[in-house]
Coordinates of all heavy atoms in Angstrom, one line a residue:
I9 N -31.0 38.0 174.2 CA -31.6 37.7 173.0 C -30.8 36.6 172.2 O -29.6 36.8 172.0 CB -31.7 38.9 172.1 CG1 -32.5 40.0 172.8 CG2 -32.4 38.6 170.8 CD1 -34.0 39.8 173.0
M15 N -40.7 39.7 160.0 CA -42.0 39.5 159.3 C -42.3 40.8 158.4 O -42.0 41.9 158.9 CB -43.1 39.3 160.3 CG -44.4 38.9 159.7 SD -45.7 39.1 161.0 CE -46.2 40.7 160.5
G18 N -48.6 43.8 155.2 CA -49.2 44.8 154.4 C -48.8 44.7 153.0 O -48.3 43.7 152.5
G19 N -49.1 45.8 152.2 CA -48.7 45.8 150.8 C -47.1 45.7 150.6 O -46.4 46.2 151.5
R37 N -23.9 38.2 161.9 CA -22.5 38.6 161.8 C -22.0 39.4 163.0 O -20.9 39.2 163.5 CB -22.2 39.4 160.6 CG -22.3 38.7 159.3 CD -22.0 39.6 158.1 NE -22.5 39.1 156.8 CZ -21.8 38.2 156.0 NH1 -20.7 37.9 156.4 NH2 -22.4 37.8 154.9
M44 N -35.2 33.9 162.3 CA -36.3 33.2 161.6 C -37.0 34.2 160.7 O -37.2 35.4 161.1 CB -37.3 32.6 162.6 CG -36.7 31.7 163.7 SD -36.0 30.2 163.0 CE -37.5 29.3 162.6
G45 N -37.5 33.7 159.6 CA -38.4 34.6 158.8 C -39.8 34.0 158.9 O -40.0 32.8 158.9
T75 N -40.9 41.1 148.6 CA -40.3 40.5 149.8 C -40.1 39.0 149.7 O -41.1 38.3 149.3 CB -41.2 40.8 151.0 OG1 -40.9 39.9 152.1 CG2 -42.7 40.8 150.8
D83 N -54.9 40.0 157.1 CA -54.9 39.2 158.3 C -54.7 40.0 159.6 O -53.6 40.3 160.0 CB -53.8 38.1 158.2 CG -54.1 37.2 157.1 OD1 -55.0 36.3 157.2 OD2 -53.4 37.4 156.0
E94 N -63.3 25.1 153.7 CA -62.8 25.5 152.4 C -62.2 27.0 152.4 O -61.8 27.4 151.3 CB -63.9 25.5 151.3 CG -64.2 24.2 150.7 CD -65.3 23.4 151.5 OE1 -66.3 24.0 151.8 OE2 -65.0 22.3 151.9
I97 N -65.3 32.8 154.1 CA -65.7 33.6 155.2 C -67.1 33.3 155.7 O -68.0 33.4 154.9 CB -65.5 35.1 154.9 CG1 -64.0 35.4 154.8 CG2 -66.1 36.0 156.0 CD1 -63.7 36.8 154.4
D124 N -37.2 35.5 170.7 CA -37.1 36.4 171.8 C -37.6 37.8 171.4 O -37.9 38.7 172.2 CB -35.7 36.5 172.2 CG -35.2 35.1 172.7 OD1 -35.8 34.5 173.5 OD2 -34.1 34.7 172.3
G145 N -47.4 41.5 175.5 CA -46.1 41.0 176.1 C -45.1 40.5 175.1 O -44.0 40.1 175.4
P152 N -40.6 51.1 159.8 CA -41.6 51.8 159.1 C -41.6 51.6 157.5 O -40.7 52.2 156.9 CB -41.4 53.3 159.4 CG -39.9 53.3 159.8 CD -39.5 52.0 160.3
D163 N -39.6 60.8 159.5 CA -39.6 61.7 158.4 C -40.0 61.0 157.1 O -40.7 61.4 156.3 CB -38.3 62.5 158.2 CG -38.1 63.5 159.4 OD1 -39.1 63.7 160.1 OD2 -37.0 64.1 159.5
Y164 N -39.3 59.8 157.0 CA -39.5 58.9 155.8 C -39.7 57.5 156.2 O -39.0 57.0 157.1 CB -38.4 59.1 154.8 CG -38.4 60.5 154.2 CD1 -37.6 61.5 154.6 CD2 -39.3 60.8 153.2 CE1 -37.6 62.8 154.1 CE2 -39.4 62.1 152.6 CZ -38.5 63.1 153.1 OH -38.6 64.3 152.6
R183 N -45.6 63.8 129.7 CA -45.4 65.2 129.2 C -45.1 65.1 127.7 O -45.6 66.1 126.9 CB -44.2 65.7 129.9 CG -43.7 67.1 129.6 CD -42.6 67.5 130.5 NE -43.0 67.7 131.9 CZ -43.6 68.7 132.4 NH1 -43.9 69.8 131.7 NH2 -44.0 68.7 133.6
M193 N -52.8 65.9 130.4 CA -52.4 64.6 130.8 C -52.6 64.4 132.3 O -51.9 65.1 133.1 CB -51.0 64.3 130.4 CG -50.7 64.4 128.9 SD -51.7 63.4 127.9 CE -51.0 61.7 128.2
W204 N -48.7 62.7 150.1 CA -47.3 62.9 150.0 C -46.7 62.5 148.7 O -45.8 63.2 148.1 CB -46.5 62.0 151.1 CG -46.9 62.4 152.5 CD1 -47.6 61.8 153.4 CD2 -46.5 63.7 153.1 NE1 -47.7 62.5 154.6 CE2 -47.0 63.7 154.4 CE3 -45.7 64.7 152.8 CZ2 -46.8 64.7 155.4 CZ3 -45.5 65.8 153.6 CH2 -46.0 65.8 154.9
A215 N -45.5 69.3 137.6 CA -46.9 69.3 137.3 C -47.5 70.7 137.4 O -47.1 71.5 138.1 CB -47.7 68.4 138.3
F244 N -50.5 72.6 126.8 CA -50.7 71.2 127.3 C -50.6 71.4 128.8 O -50.0 72.4 129.3 CB -49.7 70.2 126.8 CG -48.3 70.4 127.3 CD1 -47.9 69.6 128.3 CD2 -47.5 71.4 126.8 CE1 -46.6 69.8 128.8 CE2 -46.2 71.5 127.3 CZ -45.7 70.7 128.3
I265 N -64.4 47.5 147.5 CA -64.4 47.2 149.0 C -63.9 45.7 149.1 O -64.5 44.8 148.5 CB -65.7 47.3 149.6 CG1 -66.3 48.7 149.5 CG2 -65.7 46.9 151.1 CD1 -65.7 49.8 150.2
S292 N -60.0 71.0 125.8 CA -58.8 70.2 125.2 C -59.0 68.8 125.5 O -59.6 68.4 126.5 CB -57.5 70.7 125.9 OG -57.4 72.1 125.7
A323 N -32.9 48.2 164.0 CA -33.9 47.4 164.6 C -33.2 46.2 165.4 O -33.6 45.9 166.6 CB -34.8 46.7 163.6
V336 N -38.2 51.9 164.8 CA -37.0 52.7 164.3 C -37.6 53.8 163.4 O -38.6 53.7 162.8 CB -36.0 51.9 163.6 CG1 -35.3 50.9 164.5 CG2 -36.6 51.1 162.4
A337 N -36.9 55.0 163.4 CA -37.5 56.1 162.7 C -36.3 57.0 162.2 O -35.2 56.9 162.8 CB -38.3 57.0 163.6
Q339 N -35.3 60.8 161.8 CA -35.7 62.2 162.1 C -34.5 63.1 161.8 O -33.4 63.0 162.3 CB -36.0 62.4 163.6 CG -37.3 61.6 163.9 CD -37.8 61.7 165.4 OE1 -37.1 62.2 166.2 NE2 -38.9 61.1 165.7
F376 N -53.8 73.8 143.3 CA -54.3 72.7 144.0 C -55.8 72.6 143.9 O -56.5 71.8 144.6 CB -53.9 72.8 145.5 CG -52.4 72.4 145.7 CD1 -51.4 73.4 145.5 CD2 -52.0 71.2 146.1 CE1 -50.1 73.1 145.7 CE2 -50.7 70.9 146.3 CZ -49.7 71.8 146.1

Side-chain angles (χ1 to χ4, degrees):
I9 302 290
M15 192 195 91
R37 292 179 198 272
M44 305 294 285
T75 159
D83 299 280
E94 277 88 51
I97 292 177
D124 302 312
D163 291 350
Y164 289 102
R183 180 176 295 277
M193 303 301 287
W204 297 110
F244 75 98
I265 303 286
S292 299
V336 294
Q339 292 180 356
F376 286 81

